[in-house]
Each structure stands twice: as C-alpha cells, then as structure tokens.
Amino acid sequence: MDCLREIQGKQAHDPIFIEKMNTSASWRCICVPGPLIVGAGPSGLATAACLKEKGVPSVVLERSNCIASLWQLKTYDRLRLHLPKQFCELPLMGFPTDFPTYPIKQQFVDYLEAYAREFDIKPRFNETVSQAEYDATLGFWRVKSVGVNGKGTEYVCRWLVVATGENAEAVMPEMEGMGEFGGDIRHTSLYKSGEEFRGKRVLVVGCGNSGMEVCLDLCNHNARPSLVVRDTVHVLPREMLGRSTFGLSMWLLKWLPIRFVDRLLLIVTWLMLGDTARIGLDRPRLGPLELKNLSGKTPVLDVGTLANIKSGDIKVCPSIKRLKRHAVEFVNGKTENFDAIILATGYKSNVPSWLKEREMFSEKDGYPRRPFPNGWKGESGLYAVGFTKRGLLGTSMDARRIAEDIERCWKHEAKHRMAFTRSLLQQPSS
C-alpha cells in the first residue's frame, strides 16, 4: 500500500496527469502493486502462476473474453499438440496422467483452465491495451486499455510483462486479384473443419504444420485440396525409432553436435518418408534443428499428409502469380479453378502497435531484439514472455526467469519499506 500511496502522491502533483484526468472523464486510473501482464494465453498464465508461487500478486489483462483465445477461438477442430505432452507443460503443474501423448485441442484448453483455477488467476477480460509507455518522471509504466463499452482504464505499475506472444495477429498476404476471385478466401484462424468444403476445390497457401494439417482435414472430408509450396521445407515423421522425433532430438543433443543430429534425423527421415523433393517438397540447405535455431522456422511433423500427397489426393502447386475469377494463375504459367482459398500464412506479433518503447522490442517484427535466451528482460521493469520461437518450453523458461527477477525486486523494495516504517515508529513523539 505504501507503493500505491507513493504513486498517487506523485500523480497529485503531476500537471500532465491532472490535465488528462480533467479532460477525459471516461478514463479511470488503477494503481497495480505488482506486475501487470498483458495477455492471458499460456505465456501470461505461466508468468502469473510463477509470480503467485513466490508471493507476488499480478494483474492480467486480456482483450478477448476467455483465456487462451487463440486456442479456443481461432484454431481448427482437429488440432492436437504437435509435441508430446511432457514438452508442453506449464511450470508447477503437469498434464493429467490420463491425457494421451498428444492431447487434443479441448484437452489442452481444459488443462489451461484448470491451471488458472489452481493458481487463482482471474484475468480482466475484454480489455484491449491501446498504449503502454514508461513514465520516467513517475518511475512507473502507464498502460491504457479500452473495454467493450468504450470506457478506458489507465493502469500504473512498476513492472510490465508483455505476454501477447508470437501469434497475436493473423498474417494476411496481399495477392493481385483478391477482389476479383469471388470465392471464399479466409485465414486458418477462421477455418474450423473441412465439412463445409466437401466436394469443393480448395487451395491451401502455406506448407507449415497448419497448412499440412488443413490439407489432411480437407481430404478426410472429401474435398479436393491443393497446396501452395512457396519455399523449401523440412518434413519429418512425428515419431521415429519408437520415440517422438522432438524428444529423440533433445536427447541426442545432450551428447552430439547439432549438425550430426541433423544428419541422423535426415537419414532416418529419408528411410521412412523417402525423397520429399520428388513430390515437390525441397529441403533447405541447413538441417532442421540448425535452421530452427537460426531462423525460428519449425520443421513440419507429418501426421499423414505426405501419404495423401504421394497418392495424388493433395496436389502440390508453385507460388501464386495472381487470382482470377474463381481461378488462380501460378508462376509457372498454369491456371486452375478453385472454389476457395485457405491462407495458412501464420501469425505475427502486434507489440509495436501499442508498446511505446524502442530499445527492447524491434519495431520491424515486434520481437525482442536480443536472441534467445536473453530476450526476456528489458529496462525499467519491462519483460517479455512467449517470444522465444521455442514453443511452450521457451515460455516456461521465460516465465520462471521473470518471476525470479521480479521477486528479488519485490523483496528488496519490501525490505526498504519495512525499514522506513520502523524508523518512523522509533522516532520520539513531540
């Protein structure tokens, strides 16, 4: 409470703050004693739980009406975790033992909701952060959010944790002729099931894990999918030698150099899947693990799509030149008719649109400028979680580091407040 009184005292003599409050009656100000976390996905929940364990209270803001909104509202029905559950656990709480190795979408959502209940995390929903800026005069962060009713709130906090992550906004590429196409064009964030595309010719743009799985789902619902492959891609079996490919890779990396592990993975992959270049899926020059480390590009873990490509049920196409009326012209000069286009073109960070800070985050891509594992901490109490390009394992590592760092500051400041209070009590009364 001393911290809150300190902030309020400074605000009382801050002419800018006074003017702002007088000219904007619809805004209210809330002083947060602990960290403010922006985002109630796995990253925000993990950080709040780690802080809670250390006795540090936090406030979590979420622009949607639920936790893990990407998983709940913007993913397709057949989605499963691509990695075994032991690599996707958040700190301090594992998955239920009766969950399968690769939990389905609803099981993962159930796990996250149970996680929030376990650590009594109650996000403030429907609050969209419009601006966050460090006030050097106050020594605190000012974070403005707008609710669904249009009313604004300004939060003043000592620590700000950016947990909006790598998948905040869908990437919608511009293609010549989009207005002319006339058919359904949607991002995978709006795709649920292949049922509504039964019997239709569908072009899927993007050959990552999502694009591959959407093609498989379309096949399973008797649609006629084609897949645009614009770049080289590593396709690996989800499991090899009786173990998950990811788990095997992590184990091998404990003993062998990354390039040797890459070579071994590619040899086993070739024996299991054959030469993917023959079906239009050329591999990058760098191995899958080395490429992931350098660029963050994740290899595709095959769950059955490759067999459908080999059988001809999924056709591989080159890059798009332009769209026409219910047709697509490709860069090789060929034109084919399609009823719909699904954009499996991924997501991006939205941090530059609301965080007024240029040192920690890049304005170009919204990621921390410093690479993993050093991108979690900035200046003046600013932190980032969920930007490692290493999935939930990276999230857990960041959440633990952030909680430990804030705990040190919290205890240090509490000690100073206690000493100050004690000195006041010891002063003789006049």
Side-chain angles (χ1 to χ4, degrees), residues 5-16:
R5 282 196 290 270
E6 178 188 352
I7 298 171
Q8 291 164 350
K10 288 180 178 179
Q11 288 175 341
H13 302 284
D14 182 351
I16 298 176

Side-chain angles (χ1 to χ4, degrees), residues 324-338:
K324 298 181 178 180
R325 181 71 178 170
H326 293 293
V328 175
E329 181 183 347
F330 298 100
V331 292
N332 61 2
K334 292 184 179 180
T335 299
E336 295 188 33
N337 294 326
F338 292 98

Side-chain angles (χ1 to χ4, degrees), residues 24 33 54 90 103 107 156 194 197 204-205 232-233 285 302 330 423:
S24 182
K54 296 182 179 301
L90 297 186
Q107 287 173 323
V156 181
F197 298 98
V204 178
V205 181
T232 55
V233 59
R285 182 179 58 83
D302 181 52
F330 298 100
S423 66

Side-chain angles (χ1 to χ4, degrees), residues 246-304:
F246 182 80
L248 179 64
S249 301
M250 295 301 99
W251 182 78
L252 289 172
L253 286 172
K254 293 179 181 178
W255 316 101
L256 301 170
I258 189 169
R259 290 190 178 183
F260 189 88
V261 176
D262 269 339
R263 200 167 300 141
L264 180 60
L265 291 178
L266 291 175
I267 290 171
V268 177
T269 296
W270 186 85
L271 292 172
M272 294 180 66
L273 303 180
D275 183 6
T276 58
R278 290 186 176 181
I279 54 174
L281 303 173
D282 293 321
R283 293 192 181 277
R285 182 179 58 83
L286 292 175
L289 300 182
E290 193 172 6
L291 184 64
K292 173 69 174 173
N293 269 353
L294 291 175
S295 69
K297 187 174 181 179
T298 303
V300 172
L301 297 176
D302 181 52
V303 292

Side-chain angles (χ1 to χ4, degrees), residues 348-368:
K348 63 182 179 180
S349 164
N350 68 358
V351 174
S353 68
W354 57 270
L355 181 63
K356 309 305 175 186
E357 186 272 345
R358 297 184 179 182
E359 296 300 320
M360 183 177 182
F361 284 89
S362 166
E363 293 178 88
K364 182 179 179 181
D365 61 10
Y367 280 77

Side-chain angles (χ1 to χ4, degrees), residues 204 206-217 227 229 233 235 281 300-303 305-306 309 314 344:
V204 178
C207 60
N209 280 298
S210 294
M212 291 284 199
E213 271 208 71
V214 166
C215 276
L216 180 60
D217 190 55
L227 177 67
V229 179
V233 59
V235 182
L281 303 173
V300 172
L301 297 176
D302 181 52
V303 292
T305 309
L306 219 56
I309 294 176
I314 299 173

